[in-house]
């Protein structure tokens, strides 16, 4: 059984009607939906990008990160995705979480306050140390990459 992890959240914007905090939309969802904390509307033209505020700052526990991922419905229906996907929020970052959206479609896309724009997945982070060597052990795959194993 996975033990719950507590992430402290601070609202960084004041608004007469605060947006709901992110939550899991289904019982087995991996991510919580983040919402656009904007005033009114924001239109992204084709190939246009914007850092969309969520109105939230996080205090993640040590050895955790928050990953920002696209919402599949926005990507499929409207060509809206994240440029740096997955984006990483480090455990020591305390600023507002913003989502770097891009419109890859041929049509303008209008975003409204409170719309769900991305998923937030909180994951443990492995800390590693690097050991520099002259040679690495060989494998069957070797140096093959970028489609070397087939289509």
């Amino acid at each position: 059984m996975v033990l719950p992890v507590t992430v402290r959240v601070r609202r960084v914007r004041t608004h007469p009607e605060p947006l709901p905090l992110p939550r899991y939309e289904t019982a087995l969802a991996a991510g919580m939906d983040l919402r656009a904390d904007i005033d009114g509307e924001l239109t992204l033209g084709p190939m246009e990008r914007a850092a969309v505020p969520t109105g939230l700052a996080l205090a993640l526990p040590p050895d955790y990160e928050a990953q920002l991922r696209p919402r599949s419905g926005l990507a499929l229906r409207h060509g809206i995705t994240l440029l740096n996907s997955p984006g990483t929020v480090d455990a020591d970052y305390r600023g507002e979480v913003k989502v770097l959206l891009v419109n890859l479609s041929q049509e303008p896309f209008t975003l409204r306050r409170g719309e769900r724009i991305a998923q937030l997945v909180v994951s443990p982070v492995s800390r590693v140390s690097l050991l520099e060597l002259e040679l690495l052990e060989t494998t069957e795959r070797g140096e093959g990459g970028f489609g070397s194993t087939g289509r």
Side-chain angles (χ1 to χ4, degrees), residues 63 124-132:
D63 300 320
V125 173
S126 297
R127 307 292 299 180
V128 301
S129 59
L130 299 178
L131 175 62
E132 186 175 1

Side-chain angles (χ1 to χ4, degrees), residues 106-118:
Q106 302 301 314
E107 303 295 325
F109 177 78
T110 299
L111 182 64
R112 292 167 185 81
R113 175 176 169 74
E115 286 188 332
R116 296 178 294 159
I117 56 171

Side-chain angles (χ1 to χ4, degrees), residues 31-92:
M32 297 180 272
D33 289 335
L34 291 171
R35 297 175 183 271
D37 194 350
I38 57 176
D39 293 323
E41 298 180 343
L42 170 68
T43 299
L44 289 175
M47 300 306 294
E48 193 172 4
R49 62 187 178 269
V52 180
T54 65
L56 302 174
L58 307 175
L60 295 158
D63 300 320
Y64 280 84
E65 69 164 330
Q67 298 175 4
L68 305 178
R69 300 181 183 178
R71 295 195 66 236
S72 57
L74 283 179
L76 177 64
R77 292 182 194 94
H78 304 287
I80 303 299
T81 191
L82 278 64
L83 278 179
N84 61 328
S85 181
T88 295
V89 179
D90 293 309
D92 58 353

Side-chain angles (χ1 to χ4, degrees), residues 10-16 18-19 36-39 51-57 96-98 113:
R10 181 177 69 88
R11 293 182 191 270
V12 298
R13 297 173 184 276
T14 57
H15 197 277
L19 296 175
D37 194 350
I38 57 176
D39 293 323
V52 180
T54 65
L56 302 174
E96 180 177 14
V97 174
K98 295 183 180 180
R113 175 176 169 74

